[in-house]
């Protein structure tokens, strides 16, 4: 399988790339700096350099020839409103359009649990972030592609346990980035899971089994 990761320089994107290349998949992706491209190249990832905010859907589409699935895991993580609008909002719209124009069918978005910040007295930028994330989920879910939205709860950096809780609704808890990446890789290899929003936590069920439970 050929997978293009937007956000491949990020933590989840990098772990996903490692997981997929380990399975023998071809991984490419978009990075902002040549140094990132070189580092990824040494790990067998064919990254292309481009500034998402400045690219057109056509220029992004030209990087997607022969790709089977696009994964979008770039994001501001709640930074300044302009970056959130550009990367968590318009960037996703652009990537969705590029995916369609390139004739790629599968589009996987890493989103966030909409209630993640509830009761935490968030500042304006964070409130804006969660609103943009929710609205972009609406846009992706209305697309005619084979879309999939994965909403992990709070991401933590610890070794994955290989077990999750996955379904249309999960409480906000936490999950290791390694387990998010492993879940994404497994989902990419399960084409019957399409046009769903799945929420993800750490949990008791082995990843492959949790995914099969969501095949309808
Ligand atoms: N933090 C959480 O608890 C949480 C919870 C649920 C979901 N999420 C979602 O999970 C996603 C992945 O998380 P992560 O830990 O992998 O995040 P990360 O390590 O911060 O990676 C973010 C990625 O987005 C890219 N990016 C950021 N700003 C950009 C810009 N202005 N233009 C182009 N690319 C830009 C980064 O590129 P550079 O390397 O060039 O900066 C990087 O590839 C997040 O984007 C968020 O949507 C996060």
């Amino acid at each position: 399988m050929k997978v293009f990761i937007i956000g491949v320089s990020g933590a989840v994107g990098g772990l996903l790339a490692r997981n997929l290349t380990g399975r023998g998949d071809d991984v490419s992706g978009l990075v902002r700096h040549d140094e990132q491209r070189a580092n990824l190249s040494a790990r067998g990832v064919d990254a292309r350099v481009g500034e998402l905010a400045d690219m057109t859907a056509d220029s992004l589409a030209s990087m997607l020839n022969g790709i089977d699935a696009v994964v979008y895991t770039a994001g501001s993580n709640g930074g300044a409103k302009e970056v959130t609008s550009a990367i968590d909002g318009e960037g996703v719209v652009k990537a969705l359009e590029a995916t369609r124009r390139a004739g790629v069918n599968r589009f996987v978005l890493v989103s966030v649990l909409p209630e993640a910040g509830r009761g935490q007295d968030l500042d304006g930028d964070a409130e804006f972030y969660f609103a943009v994330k929710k609205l972009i989920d609406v846009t992706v879910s209305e697309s005619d592609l084979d879309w999939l939205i994965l909403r992990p709860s709070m991401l933590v950096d610890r070794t994955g346990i290989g077990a999750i809780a996955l379904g249309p609704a999960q409480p906000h808890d936490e999950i290791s980035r390694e387990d998010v990446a492993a879940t994404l890789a497994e989902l990419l290899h399960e084409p019957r899971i399409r046009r769903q929003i799945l929420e993800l936590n750490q949990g008791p069920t082995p990843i492959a089994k949790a995914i099969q439970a969501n095949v309808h």
Side-chain angles (χ1 to χ4, degrees), residues 6 12-13 16 70-78 84 87-89 92 107-117 128-141 147-156 166-168 172-173 175-177 180-181 183-184 187 196-201:
I6 299 172
V12 169
L16 175 61
V70 173
V71 178
Y72 196 106
T73 182
S76 67
N77 271 309
T84 295
I87 303 307
D88 299 278
V92 182
F107 185 89
V108 179
L109 175 69
V110 178
S111 183
V112 68
L113 283 166
E115 82 277 24
F128 182 76
Y129 168 76
F130 285 111
V132 168
K133 286 292 218 192
K134 177 62 195 289
L135 287 176
I136 216 67
D137 284 3
V138 175
T139 302
V140 171
S141 71
W147 57 269
L148 177 65
I149 296 170
L150 185 68
R151 291 177 175 162
S153 55
M154 190 171 74
L155 304 178
V156 293
L166 180 75
H172 185 242
D173 187 8
I175 181 156
S176 78
R177 285 178 170 85
V180 174
T183 303
L184 280 166
L187 284 167
Q196 291 191 51
I197 297 177
L198 291 175
E199 298 188 344
L200 174 65
N201 265 322

Side-chain angles (χ1 to χ4, degrees), residues 38-55:
N39 287 340
L40 284 162
S41 175
R43 292 168 41 201
V45 175
D46 176 25
R48 311 292 169 83
V49 180
E51 183 62 62
L52 184 62
D54 300 335
M55 293 173 81

Side-chain angles (χ1 to χ4, degrees), residues 11-54:
V12 169
L15 290 165
L16 175 61
R18 190 174 72 188
N19 189 308
L20 290 172
T21 53
R23 290 168 181 246
D25 293 321
D26 280 352
V27 180
S28 53
L30 182 67
V31 296
R32 291 195 272 179
H33 308 291
D34 200 56
E35 191 188 351
Q36 294 168 318
R37 188 199 57 72
N39 287 340
L40 284 162
S41 175
R43 292 168 41 201
V45 175
D46 176 25
R48 311 292 169 83
V49 180
E51 183 62 62
L52 184 62
D54 300 335

